[in-house]
Each structure stands twice: as structure tokens, then as C-alpha cells.
């Protein structure tokens, strides 16, 4: 009986991952809504950890709508920032890249900026989905938490790198891996966020 219980528990978790991954992929199709989709996926996992009684679809839908404006703005900001850097470095015959290679100071500045960009981005949507805060607070909290909890941040990076490699070598795993990766990273971030908050209320709290 115990083995059967564990089996069905695993099957339920896989089903949840598949359903949420499907919702996430569909929500990302317009591209501009990818930020809201990622925030909604994180919030759904956080609420599942908190023991929500709502259905997956209803929880995800509510989280998607609640985070839409803020998440879409920040997603587009980060997307255009990355595109702008790409144009500067590789546009017009790669003049920007040549300048970067010729200056050690520029290389160090670029490395610091890239680390800040990546670290903040990793925490941005989870922070948005867990805390009630303004855009400015969201950015500050994401940057601060990512550097204050460096071991967890490195673990999150490892999860995403491993997930990307899985999809690269076994493409059909795309139907499970993104939601599974968010579940794992939400598990890493949950205790970190909890340490900086009072008792959660409905899976979302004020910092």
C-alpha cells in the first residue's frame, strides 16, 4: 500500500508539472507575455508549496493576470536591454566588440554588468510573484537577495544550465523541463524568501 501511495504521488507531481508546463508554453507564445507567464508559474508553485486549495488552472490564471503589467514591463525592459547590448557589440561590423577586446577596464565593467544582469534576472520574477512590492523594490530585492545568498544563486544557475542541456540533447523533454526547473528553483528560493518575511499569507507576502 505504501509503494502504491508513493507511485501515485510521483504520478500526480509529474501530471502537475506537465499541466503547468503546457500552460506556461501557451502563455509564452506571444513572446511579450513570457515575463507574466514565468511570474505566474513561480507563484503557482509557491502557492502549491503553501497548500493552496485552488485548481492549477485557476491559480495560474489568477497569478498571470495579477502579475501581467509589472512582469511584462520588466520582461520587455530586460529583453530590449539585451538586444541593445547585442547591437552595440555586433552591429556595424563588430566595432563595439573590437573596442571591448582592446580595453581591460571595459571588459571588467562588462563582466560586472553581465553578472548583475543575470543574477537580478534569476530572482526578478520569483520575487515579483512572492512579494507585494513596486517595480523599484522588486529590482532592489532581486539584486540584493541574489548576492546575499550566493550559494543558492549558484545552485539556481546550475539548475537552469542543466535544464538547458537536457532540452538541447533530448528536445521532447521541453514538455516537462521548464516547469520542473521552476519547481526546483522555487524550492531553493522559498526558504530564502521566508527568511526575509513574516508568515506568508496565501503564498504572497509583503517584504
Amino acid at each position: 500500500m505504501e509503494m502504491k501511495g508513493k507511485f501515485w504521488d510521483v504520478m500526480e507531481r509529474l501530471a502537475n508539472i506537465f499541466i503547468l508546463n503546457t500552460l506556461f508554453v501557451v502563455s509564452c507564445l506571444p513572446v511579450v507575455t513570457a515575463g507574466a507567464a514565468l511570474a505566474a508559474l513561480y507563484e503557482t508553485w509557491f502557492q502549491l508549496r503553501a497548500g493552496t486549495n485552488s485548481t492549477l488552472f485557476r491559480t495560474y490564471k489568477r497569478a498571470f493576470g495579477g502579475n501581467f503589467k509589472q512582469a511584462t514591463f520588466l520582461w520587455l525592459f530586460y529583453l530590449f536591454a539585451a538586444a541593445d547590448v547585442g547591437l552595440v557589440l555586433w552591429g556595424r561590423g563588430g566595432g563595439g566588440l573590437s573596442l571591448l577586446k582592446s580595453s581591460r577596464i571595459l571588459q571588467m565593467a562588462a563582466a560586472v554588468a553581465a553578472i548583475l544582469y543575470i543574477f537580478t534576472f534569476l530572482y526578478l520574477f520569483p520575487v515579483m510573484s512572492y512579494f507585494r512590492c513596486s517595480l523599484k523594490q522588486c529590482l532592489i530585492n532581486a539584486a540584493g537577495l541574489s548576492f546575499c545568498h550566493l550559494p543558492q544563486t549558484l545552485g539556481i544557475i546550475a539548475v537552469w544550465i542543466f535544464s538547458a542541456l537536457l532540452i538541447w540533447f533530448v528536445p521532447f523533454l521541453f514538455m516537462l523541463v521548464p516547469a520542473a526547473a521552476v519547481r526546483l528553483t522555487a524550492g531553493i528560493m522559498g526558504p530564502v524568501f521566508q527568511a526575509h518575511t513574516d508568515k506568508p499569507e496565501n503564498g504572497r507576502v509583503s517584504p
Side-chain angles (χ1 to χ4, degrees), residues 5 22 25 47 72 79 101-102 107 115 118 120 122 129 153 155 158-159 173 175 193 199 201:
T22 302
V25 171
Q47 294 214 14
T72 301
L79 195 63
K101 290 179 179 179
S102 65
Q107 290 174 12
I115 291 172
I118 294 170
T120 305
L122 288 173
S129 66
T153 300
V159 169
L173 288 179
M175 294 308 298
F193 293 168
K199 185 178 179 180
E201 181 178 359

Side-chain angles (χ1 to χ4, degrees), residues 135-193:
L135 286 172
K136 181 180 178 181
Q137 287 178 318
C138 189
L139 287 166
I140 293 173
N141 290 342
L145 288 170
S146 65
F147 285 98
C148 288
H149 299 275
L150 191 57
Q152 288 88 343
T153 300
L154 295 178
I156 291 164
I157 291 174
V159 169
W160 283 114
I161 291 175
F162 181 70
S163 300
L165 290 174
L166 273 180
I167 294 174
W168 177 265
F169 289 108
V170 191
F172 76 86
L173 288 179
F174 181 73
M175 294 308 298
L176 289 174
V177 169
V182 168
R183 185 182 189 279
L184 287 173
T185 54
I188 295 172
M189 293 179 187
V192 171
F193 293 168

Side-chain angles (χ1 to χ4, degrees), residues 4-19 176:
K4 288 184 179 180
K6 290 182 179 180
F7 171 78
W8 288 114
D9 184 54
V10 170
M11 293 303 294
E12 182 181 3
R13 292 184 183 185
L14 287 175
N16 288 342
I17 290 172
F18 177 78
I19 292 169
L176 289 174

Side-chain angles (χ1 to χ4, degrees), residues 90-114:
W90 288 282
R92 298 182 179 180
L97 188 59
S98 299
L99 179 62
L100 181 63
K101 290 179 179 179
S102 65
S103 172
R104 186 66 61 87
I105 294 177
L106 284 178
Q107 290 174 12
M108 292 177 63
V112 171

Side-chain angles (χ1 to χ4, degrees), residues 26-81:
V26 171
S27 302
C28 286
L29 289 179
V31 180
V32 295
T33 60
L38 188 56
L41 188 55
Y42 268 108
E43 184 168 337
T44 302
W45 280 126
F46 284 136
Q47 294 214 14
L48 284 175
R49 283 170 55 86
T52 181
N53 293 322
S54 183
T55 63
L56 287 178
F57 178 78
R58 187 175 300 174
T59 303
Y60 184 90
K61 182 181 177 182
R62 182 171 58 247
F64 184 86
N67 291 297
F68 184 81
K69 290 183 179 179
Q70 196 175 49
T72 301
F73 177 84
L74 288 174
W75 165 253
L76 291 177
F77 173 79
Y78 268 75
L79 195 63
F80 283 121

